[in-house]
Amino acid sequence: MSLPKLSSYSGWVVEHVLPHMQENQPVSETLPSSASASALDQPSFVPKSPDTSSAFSPASPATPDGTKGKDESQHTESMVLQSSRGIKVEGCIRMYELAHRMKGAEGLRQWQEEQERKVRALSEMASEQLKRFDEWKELKQHKEYQDLREVMEKSSREALGHQEKLKAEHRHRAKILNLKLREAEQQRVKQAELERLRKEEGQVRLRALYALQEEMLQLSQQLDASEQHKGLLKVDLAAFQTRGNQLCSLISGIIRASSESGCPTAESQAEAERALQEMRDLLMNLGQEITRACEDKRRQDEEEAQVKLQEAQMQQGPEAHKEPPATSQGPGGKQNEDLQVKVQDITMQWYQQLQDASMQCVLTFEGLTNSKDSQAKKIKMDLQKAATIPVSQISTIAGSKLKEIFDKIHSLLSGKPVQSGGRSVSVTLNPQGLDFVQYKLAEKFVKQGEEEVASHHEAAFPIAVVASGIWELHPRVGDLILAHLHKKCPYSVPFYPTFKEGMALEDYQRMLGYQVKDSKVEQQDNFLKRMSGMIRLYAAIIQLRWPYGNRQEIHPHGLNHGWRWLAQILNMEPLSDVTATLLFDFLEVCGNALMKQYQVQFWKMLILIKEDYFPRIEAITSSGQMGSFIRLKQFLEKCLQHKDIPVPKGFLTSSFWRS
């Protein structure tokens, strides 16, 4: 700090201020504290140069005249310098200036602090505003970024949507093109398949036409062979031969036209079949005429022989007549007038009709069996395997497997192609194929009863249920089954063949059901075993139905035929060892079903067997053949005792079909 010096206004202060202050209070009271007074007494506050004195000589602003003021100032200065009072005044002034300076410094400091506070406040406010501005700017940028992102996402979504739409359209077009290509390919394959089938069908029809022509020529040869009976016929044989030649020419013309066209039509085949059928009818009519003529000739010869015999007997006298044979007698020597030896006429007619139908079926496919053509032989073998192998596979297997076998047999009989030996086989390959398959199928069913059922009694039921189902859908197969069964086991009619005069013993034994090989007849045990198997199969067939068939229709050969068989065999004289065996097998298999069907009437029949028929069987049975009779007697007595006939072993239950 610079040295203190008097202000230019100090004179004015001395003149105007101090006098008033001295009036109000003593000078000692105006002095500051001792510390301040001591400070004024220090020599540092005393001016040493003229400059100091000059500081007290400024002119007073109140003096109007400068010269006068100067004189007064000089006068005052001299007075101050000479007086201690002036020193005190100067100290007061300096104290005042110091106080004023300190007050100004304090005010300045406060003002500076205030300004600093304001600056800090302004700075903080500016900082906060800057932050708000940054936040607002950041928010604005974020919002712009979000808007831009949304725009980009929207554009991207639109682009993706457009792209997906294009892809969908592309897939749709590709799908349509693929469908068109697939349809075109399927159409092409279908056309190729149709063409192949048409060619195959044409070849099959052409082979069928050749087979028809071959059969037609064979029938024509048979027609020509009937020339030897010309003398017996009352009709014109030439008309038959002329018509036969016309039919042969018709088939030859059809084959010639078909060969030229390359593909025989169904109409051509149907026309050829009609011509062949007409040829068959023609030959059948001729055969009937020949048979009728032969019967007339035989009857005429018998009448002539009878007349000659009567004439010879009349010449020999009444003693030549012989006593008629005695009727058979039952136990106790009484005549069995209530029992018969042969079957009823109506049953015999039914039996003969079935045998005639079987023979007619054999004649129908004779052309196929006797054909020497390798293709025809191959067809015959394939058809025979397709018909017999599925039947051989039937056993006590699961129901699902049994259904597959049934469906295969049904498809074969319905004309559908089936797989056999790795090849497709159908009865339509040959016009005689259906007859051949039906005959072989029926023969195989009976053979299974003769062999499989005879060895394993439980096998009768699965074989029988398939046979019953096939019988229901294809009745002709059922008739052929009965024909084969009656031929191999005449007791299933029941029919006891009689020995005719002039008949060879071996032929009679075959009629009874025995197998004769090299003039050797089979053993009785083996014979009874085969008869037992076939009767068991028959007893199972009449009580079973195919579970997947139409239940609303009646059984084609149901339990009523079993009741008829049982009633008729009880009305006939028993046969030693045979009747007891067959009755036991029949009742063991079918007795439970007959009991449920006929109830009281069936029990009456069992009582009749026990009381009336057992003595007849026992009377004709030797001691070495009592085994079958004892077995039947024990079975019947046990059933009557318990008043129930047990379900046969191996009977097909619902669990069998669920397996």
Side-chain angles (χ1 to χ4, degrees):
M1 296 175 61
S2 60
L3 294 175
K5 56 182 179 178
L6 294 175
S7 174
S8 58
Y9 297 99
S10 57
W12 182 83
V13 170
V14 172
E15 292 180 355
H16 295 82
V17 175
L18 290 178
H20 294 286
M21 293 178 62
Q22 290 175 354
E23 293 177 357
N24 294 327
Q25 59 184 358
V27 178
S28 60
E29 293 180 3
T30 60
L31 293 177
S33 63
S34 61
S36 297
S38 63
L40 292 176
D41 292 336
Q42 293 179 0
S44 61
F45 292 97
V46 177
K48 299 295 183 179
S49 63
D51 294 334
T52 305
S53 60
S54 64
F56 293 96
S57 62
S60 175
T63 58
D65 190 356
T67 302
K68 185 179 181 180
K70 186 177 178 180
D71 292 338
E72 291 178 356
S73 298
Q74 290 177 356
H75 176 71
T76 305
E77 183 179 4
S78 62
M79 290 176 65
V80 170
L81 288 176
Q82 292 176 4
S83 177
S84 61
R85 184 170 174 262
I87 295 172
K88 290 181 181 180
V89 170
E90 185 176 356
C92 291
I93 293 171
R94 289 186 179 182
M95 285 294 296
Y96 178 79
E97 288 179 354
L98 179 61
H100 184 72
R101 192 185 302 108
M102 292 177 65
K103 183 178 181 181
E106 181 66 21
L108 179 61
R109 186 182 60 78
Q110 292 179 355
W111 179 80
Q112 286 178 348
E113 290 178 357
E114 182 68 23
Q115 294 302 317
E116 287 177 359
R117 282 196 303 273
K118 291 181 178 179
V119 169
R120 284 196 300 271
L122 290 173
S123 177
E124 291 176 359
M125 185 175 65
S127 177
E128 291 295 328
Q129 289 180 354
L130 183 60
K131 288 181 181 179
R132 301 291 85 76
F133 177 77
D134 291 341
E135 291 176 357
W136 179 81
K137 186 177 180 181
E138 184 179 356
L139 180 62
K140 186 176 181 182
Q141 290 178 352
H142 182 71
K143 186 176 181 181
E144 291 177 353
Y145 174 75
Q146 289 292 337
D147 293 341
L148 181 61
R149 185 174 179 180
E150 289 179 359
V151 171
M152 292 178 65
E153 289 180 354
K154 184 177 180 182
S155 301
S156 177
R157 286 195 299 271
E158 291 178 354
L160 288 175
H162 185 64
Q163 186 178 3
E164 290 295 329
K165 186 177 181 181
L166 291 177
K167 287 182 180 179
E169 291 179 356
H170 176 71
R171 286 194 297 268
H172 181 65
R173 292 194 185 97
K175 187 176 180 181
I176 292 175
L177 289 176
N178 289 334
L179 287 175
K180 290 182 179 179
L181 289 174
R182 195 179 297 111
E183 289 177 358
E185 181 65 18
Q186 290 177 353
Q187 189 70 19
R188 186 189 65 78
V189 172
K190 186 177 180 181
Q191 292 293 336
E193 184 68 17
L194 289 175
E195 183 67 21
R196 185 183 64 80
L197 291 175
R198 189 182 68 83
K199 290 182 180 179
E200 289 182 358
E201 189 177 358
Q203 293 296 324
V204 171
R205 286 175 180 168
L206 191 60
R207 287 196 296 268
L209 287 176
Y210 284 129
L212 292 175
Q213 187 182 28
E214 182 181 1
E215 186 178 356
M216 179 69 78
L217 294 176
Q218 291 176 356
L219 294 177
S220 179
Q221 292 176 0
Q222 294 179 14
L223 190 62
D224 295 337
S226 61
E227 185 74 23
Q228 57 184 348
H229 301 287
K230 185 176 181 180
L232 300 176
L233 296 176
K234 298 179 181 179
V235 295
D236 187 10
L237 184 60
F240 286 90
Q241 294 176 343
T242 301
R243 183 55 183 165
N245 293 332
Q246 290 176 354
L247 294 174
C248 289
S249 301
L250 176 61
I251 288 188
S252 299
I254 292 173
I255 292 177
R256 193 180 304 110
S258 300
S259 300
E260 292 175 357
S261 64
C263 182
T265 61
E267 290 77 9
S268 301
Q269 185 178 357
E271 187 177 359
E273 290 177 353
R274 286 195 296 270
L276 180 61
Q277 187 61 39
E278 186 178 352
M279 187 67 171
R280 291 171 182 166
D281 295 340
L282 190 68
L283 192 62
M284 186 183 299
N285 294 334
L286 182 59
Q288 291 176 355
E289 291 293 337
I290 293 174
T291 303
R292 192 179 298 111
C294 291
E295 286 290 332
D296 293 342
K297 182 69 169 58
R298 184 182 59 80
R299 193 180 302 109
Q300 185 178 356
D301 293 343
E302 289 179 354
E303 289 177 356
E304 292 177 357
Q306 188 70 21
V307 170
K308 290 180 181 180
L309 181 61
Q310 289 179 358
E311 290 177 355
Q313 288 177 353
M314 290 178 65
Q315 291 175 0
Q316 292 177 2
E319 62 275 3
H321 294 280
K322 297 181 180 180
E323 289 294 330
T327 58
S328 63
Q329 294 181 352
K334 295 182 180 179
Q335 289 188 350
N336 299 331
E337 296 177 356
D338 55 334
L339 297 181
Q340 53 190 354
V341 178
K342 65 177 184 178
V343 72
Q344 297 178 359
D345 291 339
I346 187 171
T347 304
M348 196 63 193
Q349 291 176 5
W350 173 59
Y351 164 79
Q352 195 60 46
Q353 288 175 359
L354 292 174
Q355 297 303 316
D356 293 342
S358 178
M359 290 302 299
Q360 182 63 35
C361 183
V362 173
L363 292 175
T364 302
F365 62 82
E366 187 176 11
L368 178 62
T369 55
N370 297 332
S371 177
K372 297 180 180 181
D373 180 44
S374 59
Q375 185 67 25
K377 289 181 179 179
K378 184 178 179 182
I379 292 174
K380 182 187 72 173
M381 290 302 298
D382 290 342
L383 290 175
Q384 184 169 349
K385 289 179 181 178
T388 57
I389 290 178
V391 180
S392 302
Q393 296 173 345
I394 300 174
S395 61
T396 54
I397 55 178
S400 57
K401 184 67 176 178
L402 204 64
K403 190 175 186 301
E404 292 179 9
I405 294 174
F406 176 86
D407 293 338
K408 189 173 183 180
I409 298 174
H410 174 55
S411 298
L412 180 65
L413 293 172
S414 301
K416 299 178 182 178
V418 297
Q419 293 295 321
S420 177
R423 291 196 297 269
S424 180
V425 182
S426 175
V427 295
T428 58
L429 296 175
N430 191 283
Q432 305 162 5
L434 181 59
D435 296 325
F436 179 75
V437 167
Q438 289 176 341
Y439 185 87
K440 289 297 180 182
L441 182 63
E443 184 182 43
K444 184 63 178 178
F445 272 120
V446 176
K447 191 173 182 180
Q448 284 294 100
E450 183 182 11
E451 297 175 356
E452 181 68 20
V453 179
S455 301
H456 306 91
H457 293 170
E458 296 85 355
F461 297 100
I463 297 173
V465 75
V466 175
S468 176
I470 295 297
W471 193 337
E472 186 174 344
L473 296 175
H474 306 276
R476 192 184 183 195
V477 177
D479 293 341
L480 292 174
I481 289 175
L482 285 176
H484 282 289
L485 185 65
H486 292 169
K487 186 176 181 180
K488 287 192 173 185
C489 178
Y491 315 104
S492 62
V493 178
F495 167 50
Y496 300 161
T498 57
F499 183 78
K500 296 181 181 179
E501 187 178 358
M503 180 184 294
L505 181 60
E506 294 180 1
D507 294 338
Y508 178 64
Q509 288 172 335
R510 289 191 181 94
M511 289 181 64
L512 291 174
Y514 289 90
Q515 290 181 347
V516 182
K517 294 181 180 179
D518 299 330
S519 301
K520 293 182 180 180
V521 184
E522 66 177 330
Q523 295 294 326
Q524 182 71 7
D525 292 342
N526 189 56
F527 165 74
L528 291 175
K529 183 179 179 181
R530 291 190 305 105
M531 298 299 110
S532 172
M534 287 184 280
I535 284 295
R536 282 179 175 273
L537 177 63
Y538 179 70
I541 288 176
I542 61 177
Q543 64 175 311
L544 291 177
R545 295 196 64 181
W546 182 244
Y548 303 102
N550 187 1
R551 286 291 183 180
Q552 296 180 353
E553 297 182 2
I554 61 173
H555 195 296
H557 196 80
L559 285 172
N560 56 323
H561 290 272
W563 181 264
R564 177 196 59 81
W565 181 87
L566 189 59
Q568 288 192 2
I569 203 169
L570 294 178
N571 284 328
M572 298 174 67
E573 283 292 343
L575 295 179
S576 175
D577 212 12
V578 175
T579 303
T581 300
L582 299 184
L583 274 176
F584 171 76
D585 292 323
F586 185 83
L587 291 175
E588 187 180 42
V589 175
C590 195
N592 182 268
L594 289 173
M595 175 191 69
K596 294 178 179 178
Q597 179 74 17
Y598 296 100
Q599 299 177 358
V600 177
Q601 296 299 324
F602 179 71
W603 290 110
K604 289 181 179 179
M605 183 172 286
L606 293 187
I607 294 173
L608 175 67
I609 294 173
K610 179 184 177 182
E611 295 179 353
D612 294 346
Y613 207 66
F614 274 178
R616 298 179 187 276
I617 298 175
E618 190 175 5
I620 62 170
T621 303
S622 63
S623 58
Q625 298 175 338
M626 292 296 290
S628 57
F629 170 72
I630 293 174
R631 184 174 53 179
L632 173 63
K633 185 176 181 181
Q634 290 177 350
F635 173 78
L636 206 61
E637 288 176 351
K638 184 178 179 181
C639 293
L640 290 171
Q641 180 182 357
H642 294 88
K643 295 182 180 181
D644 182 46
I645 296 182
V647 177
K649 185 179 180 181
F651 188 79
L652 304 182
T653 59
S654 57
S655 60
F656 173 83
W657 297 106
R658 290 196 299 268
S659 60

